[in-house]
Amino acid sequence: TRWTSIDNFTNIPQDLAFCLSGSIVEDNVIHVPEDYETIQEALNIANEGDTVLVASGTYYENITWPTTNSIKLIGSGEEDCIIDGNHTASVIRFEEDLNGIINTTTLISDFTITNGYAQGGSPNPYGGGIYLDDSNPSLVDVTITGNLATSSGGGIYLDDSDPSLENVTISNNSASSGGGIYCSSSSPSLAIVTISNNSASSGGGIYCSSSSPSLAIVTISNNSASSGGGIYCRDNSSPSLANVTISNNFADFSGGGIYCFYNSSPSLENVTITGNSAYLGGGISCYQSSSPSLENVTISNNSASSDGGGIFCGFSSSPSLVNCILWNDAPQEVYFREDYGPNSIMIAYSDIQGGEAGIVTNDNGTVYWEYGNLDLDPFFTDPENGDYHLTENSPCIDAGTAFFVFEGDTLVNMSEDEYYGTAPDMGAFEYDGTVDNDYELEITNYELGNAYPNPFNPSTTISYAVETNGRLSLQIYNITGQLIETLVNEQVEAGYHTVVWFAENQPSGIYFAKLVAGDFTKTQKLVLLK
């Protein structure tokens, strides 16, 4: 199960609009502006299960969601249908008095949400783009950009809310805390989400307080903050990250990629943390009894202007690493703060530059250097351009472990269908042995066509095209980010191609076809209905 990044998304056709639960647009449809001039007017008269369809255009509104569940608000497309907050208040607000009745059958789809401004002095200066209090709607094919909150949640503010986000882009938002997303006692589910170019004092991309969001196939890049450039976790926050890319984020002080504070212990699987920078902990910074768990994680080319280019540990923190790679982080791969309580780190079946001797403990902690570790160049494909796949001569291939127990805790338990070869590889990307890296031509242009039929049962045909000969992969993932099947992974000739996915052994649900060609990635949603 391996992932790099998502750059482009395929919108759901309007006649197939649905939310994550699979609900189809209901018969009662209200049109804006044909039936009602504003979105707010249409929502106010909508009944449970109604659909509000919004025509192309820009709507200058600050919407308060009504106390009605299961309304579907569907636009004509992210680029064509814009809700503009006009710099006066949050663009969309789900208020406190909804009392949790808003669930994931409530849908917002195919909009750009922009120019929201949740300002100080107002009753609630939170959530520049979207404000959610005790509400759990689904956001599908939505762009949230250019919003501001003077307090928390530039793009989205969540308080005791567990929304579902799918095919969502959150960019260029700003706040004091949580430039992209602010989570308070919330556990949202994110799938196929890009969080980029957001800024905040704490948590440039995501801020978590007593929250444990689930991230699958998510890119967090080019965000900035004082601490937690990519993600800020505090107060027992334990997010789950699978197939996530955290790259090129910046923190003035601590945690360029991830900052873990006050008993926060995220779980990372198949994650790349690269090119991030901070004063302390360029890749990951662990403070105050924080103990992240890392399985098949690549941490490389991160930097700290003081200490801990890869991982920084302070105040009794204890990360664990299995099947990981730490390489070319500066000035150290792992660094322990010298005071305020001992730290520890457990490393097994991992490739660590400098080996055990390269870990700086300052006599303030313990390194559990378990079996199977290496200190050898991993031979990444093209790290200068962000490609951290392994080449065929990498010593990390088949060098990991499928099962590992430490102090009574099972940290790794993989089935044989989750890896190629005799054992899992180290790092975030599994090498399947089919690529000839000595023969590679760049693909300069490509396209992933619409699968047909879609929805389907039990098979669908996926089309793709490339302009010049080159190497590409086409893989199927489920909604949790788990790799289901590799349809193509080889050198292909220029032209138009089709491949059939037979899904008779898979359960009904939402899947994603992901085309990767060099640095380019495109994803399409597939719906299997049995």
Side-chain angles (χ1 to χ4, degrees):
T1 307
R2 307 294 182 252
W3 179 248
T4 51
S5 65
I6 285 287
D7 297 314
N8 299 294
F9 308 117
T10 301
N11 288 332
I12 303 170
Q14 291 303 304
D15 60 346
L16 296 177
F18 58 95
C19 65
L20 292 179
S21 65
S23 299
I24 305 300
V25 171
E26 298 293 337
D27 291 336
N28 191 17
V29 177
I30 303 166
H31 295 271
V32 177
E34 181 180 346
D35 298 328
Y36 290 90
E37 185 175 351
T38 69
I39 298 172
Q40 184 72 74
E41 289 177 302
L43 290 173
N44 288 345
I45 63 93
N47 296 312
E48 184 169 329
D50 285 354
T51 297
V52 176
L53 288 181
V54 183
S56 300
T58 299
Y59 299 82
Y60 295 94
E61 299 191 45
N62 304 103
I63 295 167
T64 299
W65 202 268
T67 57
T68 304
N69 200 18
S70 304
I71 299 175
K72 298 173 180 63
L73 176 63
I74 301 176
S76 57
E78 295 172 67
E79 296 181 359
D80 300 322
C81 203
I82 301 168
I83 308 176
D84 190 317
N86 203 27
H87 304 284
T88 58
S90 303
V91 181
I92 301 177
R93 295 183 66 84
F94 290 76
E95 299 284 7
E96 300 92 325
D97 58 2
L98 296 178
N99 295 320
I101 66 169
I102 299 300
N103 58 38
T104 54
T105 62
T106 296
L107 172 68
I108 299 174
S109 178
D110 290 283
F111 287 99
T112 290
I113 295 171
T114 189
N115 291 331
Y117 181 32
Q119 56 187 307
S122 67
N124 207 337
Y126 311 113
I130 298 177
Y131 174 91
L132 297 177
D133 192 328
D134 201 17
S135 301
N136 311 311
S138 289
L139 308 179
V140 178
D141 295 323
V142 172
T143 295
I144 302 169
T145 185
N147 302 284
L148 169 66
T150 57
S151 182
S152 303
I156 305 176
Y157 177 90
L158 307 177
D159 185 10
D160 197 23
S161 297
D162 304 327
S164 174
L165 280 66
E166 179 193 335
N167 277 7
V168 172
T169 299
I170 303 170
S171 65
N172 298 299
N173 304 284
S174 61
S176 177
S177 299
I181 303 175
Y182 181 95
C183 302
S184 175
S185 301
S186 299
S187 298
S189 173
L190 283 66
I192 313 293
V193 173
T194 297
I195 302 171
S196 63
N197 297 299
N198 303 284
S199 61
S201 294
S202 301
I206 303 175
Y207 183 102
C208 298
S209 176
S210 303
S211 298
S212 298
S214 174
L215 284 67
I217 317 180
V218 173
T219 298
I220 302 171
S221 64
N222 297 300
N223 303 284
S224 62
S226 177
S227 291
I231 304 175
Y232 187 114
C233 303
R234 65 169 297 154
D235 299 333
N236 300 291
S237 291
S238 299
S240 173
L241 285 69
N243 297 294
V244 172
T245 297
I246 302 173
S247 65
N248 302 316
N249 301 284
F250 170 76
D252 286 318
F253 177 58
S254 192
I258 302 175
Y259 182 58
C260 304
F261 190 51
Y262 279 131
N263 302 296
S264 292
S265 301
S267 173
L268 284 68
E269 182 178 353
N270 307 132
V271 173
T272 57
I273 302 174
T274 60
N276 304 284
S277 59
Y279 178 71
L280 298 172
I284 301 176
S285 183
C286 307
Y287 263 93
Q288 297 277 359
S289 303
S290 293
S291 303
S293 174
L294 284 67
E295 176 187 343
N296 285 103
V297 174
T298 296
I299 301 176
S300 184
N301 288 317
N302 304 283
S303 63
S305 56
S306 180
D307 296 304
I311 300 175
F312 180 93
C313 298
F315 298 88
S316 304
S317 292
S318 303
S320 64
L321 289 73
V322 184
N323 296 346
C324 294
I325 298 174
L326 271 75
W327 202 263
N328 203 34
D329 299 296
Q332 312 95 4
E333 294 297 335
V334 181
Y335 184 93
F336 288 3
R337 181 168 172 154
E338 64 275 10
D339 54 5
Y340 295 109
N343 306 284
S344 70
I345 189 168
M346 191 286 297
I347 302 175
Y349 294 90
S350 295
D351 189 11
I352 311 297
Q353 188 170 15
E356 183 179 7
I359 298 175
V360 180
T361 66
N362 290 308
D363 296 321
N364 189 36
T366 304
V367 177
Y368 296 96
W369 190 259
E370 301 296 306
Y371 185 78
N373 294 317
L374 305 176
D375 176 15
L376 298 170
D377 190 330
F379 291 108
F380 295 127
T381 297
D382 189 7
E384 289 78 13
N385 292 305
D387 188 346
Y388 289 89
H389 287 80
L390 303 175
T391 59
E392 61 185 346
N393 57 340
S394 172
C396 297
I397 295 172
D398 291 346
T401 181
F403 184 78
F404 186 79
V405 177
F406 181 72
E407 295 185 342
D409 293 329
T410 301
L411 302 182
V412 177
N413 188 6
M414 300 171 64
S415 61
E416 292 184 0
D417 60 359
E418 293 183 78
Y419 59 88
Y420 299 102
T422 59
D425 301 340
M426 296 174 178
F429 302 101
E430 183 80 4
Y431 178 78
D432 66 5
T434 63
V435 178
D436 180 359
N437 287 284
D438 294 327
Y439 177 66
E440 180 177 348
L441 295 175
E442 180 182 4
I443 294 179
T444 58
N445 193 19
Y446 70 95
E447 185 57 52
L448 177 63
N450 291 327
Y452 183 82
N454 189 22
F456 69 97
N457 179 29
S459 65
T460 186
T461 299
I462 303 169
S463 62
Y464 61 95
V466 296
E467 185 177 20
T468 61
N469 295 354
R471 192 187 77 207
L472 61 78
S473 69
L474 181 61
Q475 297 177 312
I476 305 296
Y477 291 81
N478 65 16
I479 191 67
T480 67
Q482 179 183 10
L483 176 62
I484 298 300
E485 187 173 345
T486 297
L487 301 179
V488 180
N489 192 2
E490 60 188 7
Q491 191 85 5
V492 299
E493 295 183 355
Y496 177 82
H497 304 267
T498 61
V499 61
V500 178
W501 180 37
F502 295 96
E504 61 272 10
N505 295 326
Q506 301 298 332
S508 296
I510 294 174
Y511 297 86
F512 301 99
K514 184 187 71 169
L515 177 72
V516 177
D519 291 334
F520 300 99
T521 304
K522 190 168 184 180
T523 301
Q524 178 184 165
K525 176 190 288 183
L526 306 173
V527 182
L528 175 60
L529 295 178
K530 291 187 174 181

